Amino acid sequence: MHGRPRRSAMDWGAGVLLPVTYSLSDAVQFEATPELDAAVDTDRRGRHAAYGSAAGIGWKIAEPVTLTGEVQVLRDDDPQGASTQALAALSVAYSASDDLQFDLFGAGGLNRDTPDVEIAAGFARRF
């Protein structure tokens, strides 16, 4: 029985993030994460540049609680339709122990290309 090879819609993309943190005091940190990606085109026939950065200030409110305010701008230069997303976010982290942290996150879109609202909750456990 003869057949044709299966076509796959799979492609690859790659990216680099460079997180940077600078302590302004014992309680306040500046954080920035620039990003550069080789993103897959919408038509899956190649790659294009996507880039941006997030930046914020983190405040240690009390020993186990940190509040962080951030802004993020991401540009996606897809040949099928470029877009720029911009958002503002606020998160709170509670460190229950040295190995366990709980997080709440909320973000609002600042332009039409960005989802209106994002809300997330999570936890991290170090093993």
Side-chain angles (χ1 to χ4, degrees):
M1 184 170 216
H2 294 91
R4 294 190 306 201
R6 291 176 58 179
R7 279 189 85 185
S8 173
M10 297 186 59
D11 205 335
W12 64 271
V16 176
L17 289 103
L18 180 63
V20 176
T21 302
Y22 181 76
S23 292
L24 301 173
S25 72
D26 289 341
V28 179
Q29 289 188 333
F30 171 76
E31 304 158 354
T33 306
E35 175 179 354
L36 177 61
D37 300 317
V40 177
D41 292 348
T42 300
D43 66 7
R44 305 191 95 43
R45 294 185 183 181
R47 276 154 293 291
H48 62 275
Y51 50 90
S53 187
I57 300 287
W59 295 276
K60 187 174 274 193
I61 297 171
E63 185 54 40
V65 180
T66 302
L67 181 67
T68 302
E70 296 177 319
V71 293
Q72 181 181 42
V73 177
L74 296 172
R75 175 70 179 173
D76 188 335
D77 284 334
D78 192 315
Q80 308 306 315
S83 65
T84 301
Q85 292 191 352
L87 63 86
L90 188 63
S91 64
V92 61
Y94 172 73
S95 297
S97 70
D98 288 341
D99 297 324
L100 180 63
Q101 178 176 302
F102 296 96
D103 302 286
L104 293 173
F105 169 86
L110 300 176
N111 65 3
R112 291 180 185 263
D113 289 335
T114 311
D116 291 336
V117 176
E118 294 179 49
I119 298 173
F123 70 95
R125 172 107 169 104
R126 183 173 30 198
F127 296 98

